[in-house]
Amino acid sequence: MNQRFLVWLMLALILGFYSVYVFTSGGSESVWPVVSGVICAVAACLAFWRSMRERKADRG
């Protein structure tokens, strides 16, 4: 099994859980928690997409 697939998958999971934490931890008056949550969510999606590409390349 390709180790890069697991690294990208773990990064996606960590970023995804962090973005959920930011959104559910309660809103403050500032917009920065929302901005950082959106950035982490997008980064989690990209990391998951990259892990699926690595997995497909490993099979092929």
Side-chain angles (χ1 to χ4, degrees):
M1 179 176 266
N2 193 353
Q3 295 295 326
R4 287 183 290 180
F5 160 70
L6 294 175
V7 170
W8 283 108
L9 185 61
M10 287 300 296
L11 180 63
L13 288 173
I14 291 169
L15 287 170
F17 283 128
Y18 182 73
S19 67
V20 168
Y21 168 74
V22 166
F23 287 131
T24 60
S25 66
S28 65
E29 303 282 326
S30 178
V31 72
W32 293 113
V34 175
V35 171
S36 65
V38 168
I39 289 171
C40 286
V42 169
C45 290
L46 288 174
F48 182 73
W49 172 75
R50 180 64 190 240
S51 72
M52 291 297 110
R53 285 193 65 201
E54 290 289 336
R55 186 174 181 193
K56 190 180 288 186
D58 190 30
R59 288 183 183 175

